[in-house]
């Protein structure tokens, strides 16, 4: 319980502090699978001279991270996908990163597309009051709306990535989603979900 409360307090404070600083840039990663667009829209926090290890080490373990900064991170797909082998139907979803206390990080795909910032922070600037913000108490508020949770493969970058970066790349039919920050990256495979042939009854 203490860990979850610490996570909530950290995220709420983080949301407030961001308005005293320059807002992080937002970006979109995209690719086409069988002629259908897949895109991720997200905020890009910067290390600003910190190391990834010192930043992550100062945060509560076993938590859900918004996979970026400020507004909720979203995945939009025009086709049914297999994300790390798990089916995600065509549509729009929020993305969270489960930072485990031990073991691999995991990507969580959720049906809930955030909550208006003004609903959780009365001092929200008017221009952002209706912007969709992530849910701070993920498991309690939207855990039952999760579509898929996929373990990510960790690797190390040859040079440090200052701005948090999400890439979607396709190479000879094999597509990959990769999250990179500091000297670490996490990735999983993306594929179009295969439709069952008409008349097939699974025999």
């Amino acid at each position: 319980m203490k860990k979850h409360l610490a996570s909530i307090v950290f995220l709420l404070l983080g949301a407030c502090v961001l308005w005293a600083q320059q807002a992080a840039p937002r970006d979109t990663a995209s690719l086409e699978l069988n002629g259908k667009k897949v895109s991720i829209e997200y905020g890009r926090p910067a290390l600003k001279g910190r190391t990834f290890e010192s930043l992550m080490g100062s945060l509560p373990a076993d938590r859900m991270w918004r996979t970026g900064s400020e507004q909720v991170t979203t995945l939009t797909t025009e086709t049914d996908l297999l994300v790390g082998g798990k089916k995600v139907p065509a549509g729009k979803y929020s993305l969270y990163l489960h930072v485990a206390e031990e073991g691999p990080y995991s990507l969580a795909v959720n049906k809930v597309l955030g909550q208006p910032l003004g609903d959780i922070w009365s001092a929200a600037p008017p221009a952002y009051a209706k912007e969709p913000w992530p849910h701070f108490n993920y498991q309690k508020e939207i855990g039952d709306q999760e579509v898929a949770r996929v373990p990510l493969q960790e690797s190390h970058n040859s040079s440090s990535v200052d701005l948090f970066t999400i890439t979607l790349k396709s190479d000879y039919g094999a597509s990959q989603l990769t999250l990179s920050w500091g000297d670490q990256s996490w990735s999983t495979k993306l594929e179009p979900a295969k439709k069952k042939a008409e008349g097939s009854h699974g025999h």
Side-chain angles (χ1 to χ4, degrees):
M1 175 63 78
K2 289 183 178 179
K3 284 183 179 178
H4 292 306
L5 288 174
S7 298
I8 295 168
V9 170
F10 170 78
L11 288 168
L12 283 170
L13 289 175
C16 297
V17 169
L18 282 169
W19 299 109
Q21 304 171 348
Q22 183 178 357
R26 294 193 71 78
D27 205 348
T28 301
S30 62
L31 59 69
E32 286 194 359
L33 293 176
N34 291 347
K36 300 292 185 178
K37 186 176 180 180
V38 178
S39 62
I40 296 176
E41 198 268 339
Y42 68 107
R44 305 187 66 188
L47 288 176
K48 295 182 179 179
R50 299 165 295 183
T51 65
F52 175 81
E53 289 77 9
S54 67
L55 178 63
M56 300 305 281
S58 67
L59 307 183
D62 192 25
R63 72 194 180 283
M64 302 300 292
W65 182 49
R66 72 187 76 192
T67 321
S69 62
E70 286 128 27
Q71 293 99 320
V72 71
T73 294
T74 57
L75 163 70
T76 304
T77 174
E78 296 178 347
T79 185
D80 293 351
L81 284 179
L82 290 179
V83 180
K86 295 187 178 181
K87 187 174 181 180
V88 175
K92 187 173 183 178
Y93 304 91
S94 60
L95 293 182
Y96 291 80
L97 185 70
H98 177 233
V99 181
E101 188 167 6
E102 295 181 2
Y105 290 2
S106 297
L107 186 69
V109 183
N110 200 291
K111 295 178 183 178
V112 181
L113 298 177
Q115 57 189 330
L117 179 60
D119 288 359
I120 56 176
W121 185 26
S122 60
Y128 289 90
K130 294 183 180 180
E131 288 293 304
W133 234 249
H135 285 262
F136 300 131
N137 194 340
Y138 179 92
Q139 196 57 45
K140 181 178 179 180
E141 295 175 348
I142 62 172
D144 61 349
Q145 297 299 305
E146 194 169 284
V147 176
R149 185 176 295 199
V150 182
L152 299 174
Q153 182 176 353
E154 184 178 344
S155 60
H156 291 273
N157 303 321
S158 56
S159 58
S160 182
V161 177
D162 183 62
L163 280 177
F164 175 69
T165 301
I166 298 178
T167 56
L168 295 171
K169 291 185 178 180
S170 184
D171 188 16
Y172 299 103
S175 299
Q176 185 168 276
L177 185 163
T178 302
L179 317 175
S180 300
W181 207 15
D183 62 355
Q184 298 190 45
S185 291
W186 309 270
S187 60
T188 190
K189 189 176 181 181
L190 287 184
E191 303 171 274
K194 295 180 180 178
K195 295 182 179 180
K196 289 184 179 180
E198 293 184 11
S200 172
H201 297 286
H203 295 299

